[in-house]
Structure formats: C-alpha cells, structure tokens
Amino acid sequence: MKFFRFESIYQREGWLSPAFVGITPTGTIAYMNSKPPTGVAEHTVEKIAGHALAGFVNAHSHAFQYAMAGLAEHHAQAHEADTFWTWREKMYKTALRISPESLEAIATQLYAEMLRHGYTHVAEFHYLHHDEEGKPYKQVGEMAHRLLKASEKAGIRITLLPTWYAQGGFGELPADRQRRFISSSLEEYLQLWHQTNKLASRFNHADVGFCIHSLRAVSEEQLKQLTLLHAQEYPHLPFHIHIAEQQKEVEDCQKYHGKRPLEYLASLTKLTPAYQLVHATHLTHKEVEIIAKSGAQVVLCPSTEANLGDGFFSLQDFQKSGGNWAIGTDSHIGLNPFEELRWLDYGQRLKTHLRKVYQHTQEPDSAKIAYEQAIFSGRRAVGRLDLKNFFEVGKPFDALIIRDDVPLVAQTAPTHRLATILYSSDASWHLGTWVHGQWQILEQQHKHKTTILPQFREATNEIRG
Ligand SMILES: [Zn+2]
C-alpha cells in the first residue's frame, strides 16, 4: 500500500485536513485520516500539493459529436435562422463520416479531456451502431467496442448505454441519414445489447445500462417491450432516455399520443429510480411531481442545452418537489463540470432575478447543494448506489485535485473553499485527476498523450475532409 498526504479532501462533513490516504495497488482506499498512519515512516508518505474532490460523473455523452464541437457556429448565410433541428442536420452529416477507427480516436481524446476537467466516469449514450451504409458490422457491437477501448486507454470509467433507435419520428420510418442508428426490432436491439454487455465484461472499469433514444425514436409497442424487459430482468440497471428537450417534440408527442412526453412515458411503464430522463427541459408541474415521486432522476446538460437553444429547466419547481438531477456534457461544446453547474445556476438567476437558486431546506451553501447533486445523482445515473460519502474506505480513489498554490484558493478559508472552486475556477486550477488510485492526468498532461493526440488529429482531418 502507498500513502499520500493531501492538503485536504472534501467529505460530506466538510474538509478533512490534512488528509492521509492509503491506497492499495488495485486503487482502493484502505486508510483515510487526518493523522498519519502509525508505523509508516514519514519520508515514504508522498505529499500532494492540493485539495481532493471526488471525481464527477458525466451522465450524458455522445462521443462522436466531439468531432464537430464549435463547427456549427459558422452559418452558410448570415441571415439564415439556425435551430436545434438545423444543427441536427449538421450532426447527422458528421455521424455519416465516422469510421470505427476515427470513433475510437475521437472518444479517446474526448475522454482524456473529460478527465482533465474532473470527470472520472462517463455514461456513453451510444447510437452510432452501424457502418456508413447502415449495415451491421461483422461484429455487431464494433462501435461499442471502440468506445470501450477508448475509455480504457484514457483511463475513465464508462457505463455504456447501447441505444435503441427504431424510427425517424412519431409514427415515421427512419430517414436515410439516420441509417447508422437503426435497430428495427427488439430482437435486433437485444443482439446489440447482449454483445455490448459481453464486450464490456472484458474491461475492468466498464458496465452497461439500457437506453431508448427518445420517445419519438420507438413505437408505443417497442417502448412497452423494452421497459417491461428491464423491469422484469434488469431493474437494477440504469435506463436512459432523451425526454423533452425541444418544444417541438413535446408538441409532436401531444399530437401523436395525446399526452405530453413524461405523462406518456409514465402511462406505459412504472418509473423507478433507475430511470434517467435526459433534457427534461419542458415539464409541467404535474410532470415534475410524477418524476420526483417515482425517484427517477433528470440529467441536465446546461452548456449543450444553452448552445442548442433548448429552454430553461424548471429547477425551482423540481427542487421543491424533492427531485434529483445529474449533469452531462452531451455534445461536448463545454467540458467543465463546474461550468455546467454555473450555467445551470446563472440561467435560473437571469430568469428569476434571484441569486440563491440552488435550494435545500437544511443547506445554506449553494456550492454544496450543487456539488452534492452532481456527485450523488451522477453516481445513481450510472448505477453506483454503494457510495454514501464522497470518499470511503474500501472504495476506489477517484479524484480531482485542486492546486493549493492558486492565490484565491490559498487565501480562502475552508468554509468558502468549495464555493470559490465551483464559482471561480477554470481548468488551470486542476493539478490532476486520479481514477482507481492512479494519476491519469498530471499538470494538464495525459499519461498517454503522445499516442492519443496524433490519432485524434488524423481522425478529425479525415472527418472534416
Ligand atoms: Zn443527448
């Protein structure tokens, strides 16, 4: 076992300072105390000049979209309107240009960047399944395998969510440009799912969940089939779905099914804490209450939702009902978890003209409320239900280390340290990131950057032509 001395580590009770942490060769915490371990020579304890925060879970990612981050801001015509739906056409074009090799290269670079920003676990909402013609690869889970390899090389934990996408819109056949996403039947989807599950079991830090792209992407019968199978055989696995991102899809759902999205979903299946409702942007009070009562969570992706002009989430109402929310980076236009929490907060402040929008009956510190939601709901979003504190003896050491020589950090008392980090930091404050007890990033550099970067360059050159 190796011992480390951190300036402090952040726990539910507050900062443990200094923090002596013993980590086993397999990356598990075996000792954690403000006092040094007895019988261990002082010179063998490695000093880390920073404050440790539990690593974030990125609860929503489409890795291939990183290949177009920033490219959709340049418009063909100055006067042309641009919306989520026109952005989606650009995204489809990108999806059609991605090979298994380029997906692996892009995802590896993306996951390395997630780690640099403090994410240590990613939920990959994966729907780019088939080849450029729309035919299944020889190994049907080829693209899933590439994502697993990318996560392994980058050193991030992954919950892979093979996504069922069967139709183009409510009651519509798939469009030709959606051909790489499609599994026409439950049988086809399960073939993909089982193979992905098998592949994931060969990796040390990977698992799987269930996923339906959106209510518009499957028929009512298909939605019933998969939710029933999940309830009967895999109730403990997370189940992700895009729920109500755009006003238009709410209206289309109302027209086709006579119900708003959440009401429709809840009428077909019993929502449970396993359900992760991504982009629950447009909710009525009744829908908020249904979610909160069921224990299902929402996953918010504030920088992408702002970038795509989705709308404001009903945070105030949702918090009052006791609902839980996690964060994700979706299209990866932003990759900093603290920025996601600020975007969410500031959007609400601008809307309500109030400053304290993160609400909790017993907690006056906005940063603590936001951070606890992101960490604990994030873990629930990937089915990690065993952790009650940020760090625990017997559990892996996954952490983001904040430098102690940042002037503002050095001058701030522990009571305000978390808020200073959450509201004022940028990634230059990060000393590094650990996953399963090892530095994956140190001083902004990934341990495998010399091979990750050239492959990323090659892949983006190929895709961008
Ligand atoms: Zn998404």
Side-chain angles (χ1 to χ4, degrees):
M1 179 166 32
K2 187 147 177 41
F3 286 93
F4 300 88
R5 180 194 182 279
F6 294 87
E7 284 306 309
S8 66
I9 64 175
Y10 188 67
Q11 291 285 65
R12 268 192 192 269
E13 320 67 87
W15 294 95
L16 179 71
S17 180
F20 291 89
V21 181
I23 300 178
T24 67
T26 53
T28 302
I29 303 169
Y31 180 91
M32 188 168 48
N33 206 299
S34 60
K35 295 192 179 67
T38 48
V40 174
E42 205 188 318
H43 71 274
T44 64
V45 177
E46 188 179 332
K47 290 191 177 57
I48 309 292
H51 306 279
L53 291 170
F56 285 90
V57 174
N58 188 338
H60 191 62
S61 162
H62 307 293
F64 79 87
Q65 293 181 14
Y66 191 50
M68 61 177 282
L71 299 187
E73 308 307 321
H74 187 274
H75 308 281
Q77 302 287 336
H79 62 270
E80 218 171 61
D82 189 11
T83 66
F84 170 90
W85 305 100
T86 45
W87 170 87
R88 192 175 74 155
E89 293 304 317
K90 292 180 182 167
M91 183 268 283
Y92 284 164
K93 278 189 187 141
T94 303
L96 286 171
R97 305 191 68 152
I98 297 199
S99 65
E101 293 75 22
S102 59
L103 179 65
E104 185 176 336
I106 286 156
T108 310
Q109 178 68 52
L110 167 67
Y111 295 159
E113 282 294 276
M114 283 184 191
L115 285 162
R116 188 169 71 80
H117 286 94
Y119 290 108
T120 54
H121 194 141
V122 59
E124 181 63 40
F125 193 116
H126 166 52
Y127 59 90
L128 188 59
H129 301 306
H130 308 311
D131 73 9
E132 288 84 342
E133 306 298 315
K135 294 195 193 77
Y137 287 101
K138 204 162 144 211
Q139 170 179 242
V140 70
E142 176 67 30
M143 295 298 246
H145 197 196
R146 300 294 182 148
L147 292 164
L148 290 164
K149 290 208 270 189
S151 70
E152 185 177 59
K153 181 155 189 186
I156 197 167
R157 295 178 193 282
I158 189 169
T159 297
L160 194 48
L161 305 162
T163 302
W164 194 6
Y165 204 128
Q167 59 181 29
F170 293 104
E172 288 172 18
L173 289 172
D176 184 51
R177 58 201 190 289
Q178 295 167 321
R179 61 187 179 269
R180 301 191 71 179
F181 317 152
I182 304 301
S183 305
S184 305
S185 64
L186 180 66
E187 210 178 8
E188 272 182 36
Y189 171 72
L190 289 180
Q191 198 194 353
L192 196 64
W193 191 88
H194 284 296
Q195 192 179 91
T196 304
N197 191 24
K198 207 166 144 190
L199 287 166
S201 68
R202 296 186 202 149
F203 289 77
N204 282 334
H205 305 293
D207 53 24
V208 297
F210 281 88
C211 192
I212 280 179
H213 178 272
S214 52
L215 296 172
R216 63 186 143 83
V218 292
S219 70
E220 185 170 329
E221 186 53 33
Q222 289 168 332
L223 186 58
K224 279 188 204 160
Q225 286 173 337
L226 192 61
T227 53
L228 183 66
L229 177 89
H230 173 262
Q232 289 178 339
E233 295 184 35
Y234 304 96
H236 55 289
L237 292 187
F239 195 123
H240 288 233
I241 182 167
H242 288 134
I243 188 76
E245 180 170 9
Q246 282 281 317
Q247 197 63 53
K248 182 181 177 309
E249 69 183 323
V250 175
E251 288 158 13
D252 289 351
C253 186
Q254 280 176 308
K255 262 187 233 156
Y256 195 79
H257 291 294
K259 294 188 179 79
R260 293 177 59 88
L262 203 278
E263 291 176 309
Y264 166 62
L265 177 64
S267 73
L268 297 181
T269 188
K270 185 178 179 297
L271 291 176
T272 68
Y275 278 83
Q276 309 302 318
L277 309 164
V278 185
H279 310 306
T281 313
H282 302 286
L283 298 178
T284 60
H285 177 64
K286 192 177 155 200
E287 289 174 301
V288 163
E289 290 204 315
I290 295 172
I291 297 174
K293 270 187 199 138
S294 71
Q297 301 193 130
V298 305
V299 179
L300 304 170
C301 307
S303 61
T304 290
E305 287 162 11
N307 184 267
L308 297 178
D310 290 344
F312 291 106
F313 173 63
S314 310
L315 183 69
Q316 308 299 304
D317 196 16
F318 192 68
Q319 288 179 127
K320 271 185 213 141
S321 303
N324 287 313
W325 50 269
I327 53 164
T329 62
D330 194 8
S331 72
H332 316 300
I333 191 75
L335 276 178
N336 184 333
F338 300 116
E339 196 182 304
E340 298 301 324
L341 296 174
R342 293 195 287 261
W343 265 106
L344 179 60
D345 186 337
Y346 294 162
Q348 301 288 322
R349 291 190 197 196
L350 289 164
K351 195 174 105 177
T352 61
H353 307 165
L354 297 169
R355 288 195 70 252
K356 189 175 182 298
V357 298
Y358 286 135
Q359 300 285 347
H360 188 283
T361 46
Q362 280 140 24
E363 182 51 64
D365 182 349
S366 294
K368 193 172 178 198
I369 299 166
Y371 180 70
E372 287 200 355
Q373 272 294 322
I375 297 290
F376 292 113
S377 303
R379 288 173 179 172
R380 283 190 291 269
V382 290
R384 288 178 70 187
L385 311 173
D386 55 335
L387 281 147
K388 302 282 176 272
N389 211 326
F390 296 117
F391 296 95
E392 286 177 30
V393 170
K395 304 292 179 194
F397 186 72
D398 295 352
L400 166 65
I401 315 299
I402 303 293
R403 312 178 69 98
D404 69 348
D405 61 356
V406 173
L408 206 51
V409 174
Q411 288 306 113
T412 300
T415 42
H416 292 83
R417 187 181 295 144
L418 183 67
T420 300
I421 295 166
L422 198 147
Y423 286 98
S424 296
S425 70
D426 59 36
S428 70
W429 293 25
H430 300 181
L431 178 63
T433 306
W434 300 54
V435 181
H436 43 92
Q438 285 180 9
W439 290 109
Q440 308 298 325
I441 303 277
L442 179 59
E443 300 281 2
Q444 308 292 322
Q445 307 299 319
H446 191 278
K447 60 182 185 180
H448 298 312
K449 72 163 185 175
T450 50
T451 54
I452 294 174
L453 190 56
Q455 285 164 359
F456 176 70
R457 278 200 200 112
E458 202 180 309
T460 41
N461 287 342
E462 182 190 309
I463 293 160
R464 295 174 177 192

